[in-house]
Amino acid sequence: MHNTVVIFVQSLAEYTSCSSVVPKHYQHILALAFAVKEINENLHLLPNVTLGFHIYDSHFTAKWSYHATMLHLSTLKRFFPNYKCGNQDNLISVIGGLDCQTSLHVATILELYKVPQLIYGPAPVMHGKVPGLFFYQLVPEEALQYEGILSLLLHFRWTWIGIIVMDNDSGERFLQSVDPVFSQNGICFAFIERCPMLSVVTEMEDMMQVGARIHDKIMDSQTNVLVASGESYSVMYLRWLPYLSHLQHETNKLKGKVWIMTAQMELVSLVYQRTWDTQILHGALSFTFHSNNPSGFKTFLGSRSPSSIKGDGFISHFWEQAFDCVFPNTTVDKVQGNICTGDEELESLPGTYFEMSMTGHSYSVYNAVYVMAHTLQTVSSSQLKKRAMVNGGRWTVQTQDLWQLHHFLRSISFNNSAGDMISFDENGVLVAGFDIINWIIFSNQSFHGMKVGKVDPQGSSDQLFTISKDAVTWHNWFNQVRPISVCSESCNPGSSKKVKEGKSFCCYDCIPCPQGKISDQKDLNDCYKCMEQSYPNKEQDFCLHKSVIFLSYEEPLGIGLASCSLSFALTTALVLGTFMKHHNTPIVKANNRDLTYTLLTSLLLCFLCVLLFIGQPKKVVCLRQIAFGIIFSVAVSCVLAKTITVVLAFMANKPGSRMQKWVGKKLANTIVFSCSFIQAAICTVWLATTPPFPDIDTKSLTEEIVLECNEGSVTMFYCVLGYMGLLAIISFTVAFLARKLPDSFNEAKFITFSMLVFCSVWVSFIPAYLSSKGKYMVAVESFSILASSAGLLGCIFSPKCYILLLRPELNKREQLIKRGY
């Protein structure tokens, strides 16, 4: 009594009714037979147990799949559904076919009996139905393949690709899986084409028209990379495309493309495609199931011939199709075509018809048989053996006990005869990876598959995907230069991408980065600003460190301002000394000596105050604005007091005037003190609320960091300046009105001119200060202090110094009355 393995091979469908078969798939049957032969000859694996198998043809239809399944669940040769009568072999498992729909149809029945199904095609789309663990997938997880395709595209920087899928559930599942992941990683689809499935001959013309359109779109597209997903026979459709297009577009120039194919697709031919050109697929990169060549398999293939093999119902049909010959038939008088001798060699067949090395699909079938053998071996030595029926020293598993096989299948783990580890994960999927094969097509239609990479889920994260790009042979159209497949050329550093309106995000224009931003990598979506301590270089592709600046004593501008400050301070000191030397002379007395000394002292301090604006800002130094505001207010207050004194003196000289009591030092001192006190009060509030402090300005200048004194409160700063401006305007107004008073000692005209200079300087200061940046703001303010102070010094005191030093003979009361000083 035999434990039986059943396999459905729909790839060899309709041998008896149709000549359009795929000879290459005959190797799947031979891989099954070879595995069973090895196991039956192995004394250590399932001793005293003989494995057998039956092969049924699904004919690509649900009806025949259901019928074949029910047939083996019933008595052989007598179809009684759900009954098994008489002596027959025991069904242990089913190996599904390449077509996922066949596996789905078979599973509909097998799940009722808990019969495990091992599949070596794509997993069926269940449409919400949960099959549990009745499927055991002898191929790796599809998600791993999608990840490998994505890694391949990113490795070669192919971001503009075309997608070709079959118009079925598997094709839609592929699109739904890769679309979001590819898009998230910057890969766009130039087009997505669904190849129609031929169901009846009447649809042939429509299919050819669709094929011609697809081929023309492929050739006209800018993309050089095409990702194709489909079943094993899909390549036969792709080989149609150049011929379909040639019939309708004879001038269409053939261009090379890089085809990336999923693992289910094989380089196969129908019998009538024997002489067809296959160069369209030259240089293709195919993800294939990892396979090895078990020892003895090639010898086993070489021993196959129609005359020596009995019980193989497929070999005669395969032989006729593969070698394009016919076996003599006693019922037919005349045979058309070549006569088959049976001595033809399989090794002479082109690779699209048959391969002497085990293909990935055949290797999956081979492993499926060994999985069941090792499972039965485990069962035979487990507790299940106690429940087995003893029959002549042999054991067998009852149909009602098949559900217990799933427990052992889930935990199965062994090394096959080729040395590969075979085991399933928790989802019943084979733990394995993919090989990346480069197809090299020769002129005689033979081909060679060169392994150039792999996807290994058991490797480290950086070794999940590996490829030897130098070993890849590209299509001849690329002249062995690595193909580029992008919608737009890369944007160089210093620019960013701007997506074209109405186009995919992979199609863009490159625009220069705006001022102040950079991009230091290719194809950035947006430019970005440098850190505060850096600034963009001229090409805007790198950030340079900003230099630290402040108005220092080492630079010409600082040296010039400091020199002017000291020079004017020295001049003011000399003027003060001169006035003090001529303390009792008429011209000094006539100008209110104490007020004059106070004015000169404040001007001296104003000139020296400029030195606080030069050098690195520090906490104490940053009080310079407050010091300047108070000192300058004293100077302007002195000028105002001088002006008011002149006016009151003139009014007091009129007969009967009551103003005489106001004329004198007391009024002048009161004016100076009160006006200065108000400014001091403003500065005190400023100092108490938001005092100035050392700060760093990283934004005003592009290439430099400015060490500065932050004013704390801009409002208080302008209040100080505004108050000084108010005093200056009052002084100018009073002096202007009193400039022609007929007084012997009237200096109102000099004060008028000095305040005109003062106001002009500070009115010009405001726009100049606001339009300058960094250390030049400090320089503008320093210059304004020097200019306005020098204006007061020169306009008010230069005429008097002229008399004191150069014309002493004029420093007499009579001369002063005569000349108006």
Side-chain angles (χ1 to χ4, degrees):
M1 185 171 293
H2 304 302
N3 292 296
T4 307
V5 178
V6 180
I7 181 171
F8 287 86
V9 188
Q10 84 289 352
S11 55
L12 288 168
E14 302 180 58
Y15 258 126
T16 57
S17 59
C18 179
S19 61
S20 298
V21 297
V22 184
K24 191 170 185 176
H25 289 170
Y26 178 60
Q27 192 193 84
H28 304 171
I29 298 175
L30 299 182
L32 171 67
F34 177 69
V36 172
K37 176 177 179 293
E38 276 191 333
I39 294 170
N40 288 336
E41 293 175 354
N42 190 336
L43 300 179
H44 302 287
L45 183 61
L46 293 180
N48 301 321
V49 175
T50 302
L51 289 184
F53 61 90
H54 293 282
I55 300 177
Y56 291 93
D57 197 344
S58 68
H59 295 272
F60 289 111
T61 62
K63 181 184 73 172
W64 284 106
S65 298
Y66 291 137
H67 179 268
T69 306
M70 292 301 299
L71 185 64
H72 201 76
L73 291 171
S74 304
T75 304
L76 291 179
K77 299 182 181 180
R78 298 180 62 191
F79 183 47
F80 295 104
N82 211 33
Y83 286 93
K84 300 187 72 173
C85 306
N87 189 22
Q88 68 280 316
D89 297 332
N90 290 312
L91 175 66
I92 299 300
S93 67
V94 170
I95 301 177
L98 279 176
D99 183 18
C100 61
Q101 288 301 310
T102 299
S103 301
L104 182 60
H105 299 325
V106 173
T108 303
I109 300 174
L110 291 183
E111 68 175 348
L112 300 176
Y113 297 90
K114 306 299 186 293
V115 177
Q117 180 180 184
L118 282 67
I119 60 175
Y120 67 104
V125 179
M126 300 304 297
H127 298 294
K129 185 177 180 180
V130 180
L133 281 178
F134 300 121
F135 285 116
Y136 295 88
Q137 200 167 331
L138 267 299
V139 293
E141 182 67 47
E142 286 188 338
L144 178 65
Q145 179 175 208
Y146 303 153
E147 187 175 351
I149 295 174
L150 175 61
S151 299
L152 178 64
L153 296 173
L154 295 178
H155 178 82
F156 288 110
R157 298 180 181 178
W158 292 330
T159 59
W160 188 239
I161 65 172
I163 298 289
I164 308 286
V165 298
M166 301 307 292
D167 192 8
N168 55 19
D169 288 342
S170 296
E172 290 303 318
R173 179 173 57 181
F174 176 81
L175 291 177
Q176 293 174 9
S177 300
V178 304
D179 190 1
V181 179
F182 283 20
S183 298
Q184 291 171 9
N185 287 272
I187 296 174
C188 305
F189 300 153
F191 57 83
I192 297 176
E193 291 295 336
R194 296 171 173 82
C195 298
M197 303 285 292
L198 180 62
S199 58
V200 293
V201 178
T202 55
E203 296 178 357
M204 177 66 75
E205 185 177 352
D206 294 338
M207 189 190 74
M208 293 177 65
Q209 292 178 355
V210 173
R213 179 185 58 78
I214 292 175
H215 181 267
D216 291 344
K217 176 173 282 191
I218 291 173
M219 292 300 118
D220 293 338
S221 174
Q222 185 181 351
T223 179
N224 288 321
V225 176
L226 305 172
V227 176
S229 174
E231 287 70 28
S232 60
Y233 55 82
S234 301
V235 173
M236 297 181 295
Y237 182 86
L238 298 181
R239 295 183 65 191
W240 266 91
L241 297 182
Y243 295 94
L244 297 176
S245 181
H246 178 71
L247 294 175
Q248 299 185 22
H249 305 280
E250 296 182 358
T251 60
N252 195 6
K253 184 180 179 181
L254 182 64
K255 294 192 296 184
K257 300 290 181 181
V258 178
W259 290 85
I260 299 176
M261 299 185 179
T262 55
Q264 289 296 335
M265 302 177 69
E266 290 184 291
L267 186 52
V268 297
S269 294
L270 292 173
V271 291
Y272 57 80
Q273 293 177 316
R274 183 184 301 272
T275 60
W276 283 21
D277 186 11
T278 321
Q279 288 299 312
I280 184 177
L281 300 176
H282 179 62
L285 295 172
S286 175
F287 284 77
T288 62
F289 306 126
H290 174 71
S291 65
N292 261 326
N293 268 319
S295 60
F297 182 66
K298 189 173 182 179
T299 303
F300 175 77
L301 295 181
S303 65
R304 309 296 290 187
S305 69
S307 58
S308 62
I309 302 300
K310 299 186 181 298
D312 187 344
F314 297 101
I315 189 169
S316 296
H317 298 287
F318 160 76
W319 212 268
E320 290 180 340
Q321 300 294 336
F323 291 102
D324 191 24
C325 62
V326 179
F327 284 103
N329 192 332
T330 56
T331 61
V332 180
D333 296 335
K334 186 176 181 182
V335 177
Q336 295 181 351
N338 298 323
I339 301 297
C340 295
T341 64
D343 296 328
E344 292 84 1
E345 295 183 358
L346 293 176
E347 198 167 357
S348 65
L349 292 173
T352 57
Y353 271 43
F354 195 82
E355 292 186 56
M356 296 300 290
S357 59
M358 189 173 284
T359 64
H361 287 112
S362 297
Y363 193 60
S364 297
V365 174
Y366 177 82
N367 286 329
V369 179
Y370 267 93
V371 164
M372 290 311 307
H374 279 274
T375 301
L376 294 176
Q377 176 79 1
T378 305
V379 170
S380 68
S381 58
S382 69
Q383 293 182 356
L384 186 63
K385 183 177 180 181
K386 299 177 182 179
R387 300 172 55 187
M389 293 178 57
V390 179
N391 185 8
R394 293 175 298 176
W395 63 270
T396 182
V397 179
Q398 295 297 310
T399 303
Q400 61 267 24
D401 295 325
L402 289 177
W403 63 273
Q404 299 187 51
L405 291 177
H406 296 285
H407 168 74
F408 298 96
L409 276 169
R410 285 196 296 268
S411 59
I412 196 71
S413 179
F414 64 93
N415 288 327
N416 65 10
S417 62
D420 288 332
M421 171 65 72
I422 306 298
S423 63
F424 296 111
D425 62 15
E426 63 276 8
N427 297 317
V429 179
L430 182 70
V431 179
F434 293 90
D435 293 334
I436 302 176
I437 303 299
N438 182 211
W439 287 356
I440 303 172
I441 311 298
F442 300 105
S443 57
N444 61 356
Q445 302 307 309
S446 62
F447 74 94
H448 172 65
M450 171 72 72
K451 180 179 176 180
V452 294
K454 65 178 181 178
V455 180
D456 184 8
Q458 297 175 313
S460 59
S461 57
D462 57 339
Q463 294 294 320
L464 174 66
F465 169 84
T466 56
I467 190 169
S468 177
K469 58 184 179 181
D470 295 332
V472 178
T473 299
W474 306 111
H475 193 281
N476 299 330
W477 193 77
F478 299 111
N479 199 23
Q480 274 309 109
V481 177
R482 182 171 65 85
I484 298 174
S485 188
V486 295
C487 183
S488 300
E489 293 294 332
S490 295
C491 290
N492 293 322
S495 61
S496 62
K497 299 190 297 186
K498 181 181 179 181
V499 178
K500 296 179 180 179
E501 187 175 355
K503 299 290 186 178
S504 171
F505 66 86
C506 289
C507 303
Y508 49 81
D509 295 318
C510 298
I511 58 175
C513 289
Q515 190 68 29
K517 291 187 176 182
I518 71 158
S519 63
D520 56 357
Q521 299 178 15
K522 287 187 175 183
D523 294 334
L524 286 183
N525 292 323
D526 196 10
C527 302
Y528 61 91
K529 291 184 178 180
C530 295
M531 298 180 65
E532 290 187 347
Q533 292 78 16
S534 305
Y535 68 95
N537 62 348
K538 185 178 180 181
E539 291 76 20
Q540 294 181 272
D541 59 359
F542 187 76
C543 288
L544 302 174
H545 289 292
K546 290 184 177 181
S547 58
V548 179
I549 64 166
F550 56 89
L551 187 59
S552 68
Y553 289 102
E554 286 80 17
E555 58 182 305
L557 183 58
I559 294 173
L561 290 173
S563 300
C564 291
S565 172
L566 295 174
S567 298
F568 283 122
L570 179 61
T571 302
T572 305
L574 293 175
V575 172
L576 178 60
T578 301
F579 270 68
M580 293 179 68
K581 182 179 179 180
H582 300 85
H583 183 71
N584 294 316
T585 59
I587 195 170
V588 175
K589 291 180 179 180
N591 284 274
N592 193 334
R593 288 177 297 187
D594 294 340
L595 201 59
T596 299
Y597 294 158
T598 303
L599 176 58
L600 286 172
T601 302
S602 61
L603 288 177
L604 174 63
L605 294 176
C606 283
F607 287 127
L608 294 177
C609 185
V610 171
L611 298 178
L612 296 176
F613 289 83
I614 305 173
Q616 183 173 349
K618 297 180 181 179
K619 189 173 183 178
V620 176
V621 174
C622 284
L623 300 177
R624 59 197 182 188
Q625 298 289 6
I626 294 176
F628 155 69
I630 295 175
I631 294 170
F632 224 83
S633 295
V634 173
V636 179
S637 298
C638 290
V639 174
L640 179 60
K642 274 179 167 290
T643 307
I644 294 176
T645 299
V646 170
V647 174
L648 292 178
F650 170 76
M651 296 176 65
N653 288 334
K654 292 182 180 181
S657 175
R658 298 179 181 180
M659 302 300 295
Q660 291 182 355
K661 63 180 180 180
W662 296 99
V663 179
K665 295 181 179 180
K666 185 176 181 180
L667 176 63
N669 293 337
T670 301
I671 294 173
V672 172
F673 177 78
S674 60
C675 292
S676 301
F677 178 78
I678 295 174
Q679 183 72 295
I682 296 173
C683 291
T684 301
V685 174
W686 186 8
L687 188 62
T689 54
T690 53
F693 58 91
D695 196 10
I696 297 176
D697 180 10
T698 59
K699 298 179 180 179
S700 297
L701 298 178
T702 303
E703 301 180 6
E704 296 160 326
I705 297 175
V706 181
L707 300 183
E708 63 177 7
C709 285
N710 191 310
E711 309 305 345
S713 173
V714 178
T715 302
M716 298 303 297
F717 172 65
Y718 283 110
C719 284
V720 170
L721 292 182
Y723 180 71
M724 288 190 300
L726 177 63
L727 293 179
I729 292 173
I730 294 174
S731 298
F732 173 74
T733 303
V734 175
F736 180 79
L737 295 175
R739 71 189 187 281
K740 294 183 179 181
L741 294 176
D743 185 78
S744 301
F745 304 103
N746 180 21
E747 60 176 346
K749 58 183 178 181
F750 301 116
I751 295 175
T752 302
F753 190 70
S754 67
M755 297 314 296
L756 181 63
V757 173
F758 182 90
C759 292
S760 299
V761 170
W762 286 102
V763 168
S764 302
F765 161 78
I766 295 176
Y769 184 80
L770 295 177
S771 61
S772 56
K773 296 180 180 180
K775 63 182 180 180
Y776 296 104
M777 295 179 68
V778 181
V780 167
E781 187 172 0
S782 300
F783 176 79
S784 299
I785 294 173
L786 292 174
S788 58
S789 300
L792 292 177
L793 179 65
C795 294
I796 296 176
F797 294 101
S798 58
K800 300 172 181 59
C801 290
Y802 174 74
I803 294 174
L804 290 173
L805 299 176
L806 300 179
R807 302 292 297 275
E809 70 276 6
L810 299 179
N811 191 9
K812 297 179 180 180
R813 182 179 177 80
E814 297 80 8
Q815 291 295 329
L816 292 176
I817 294 174
K818 179 180 178 180
R819 300 182 65 86
Y821 288 104

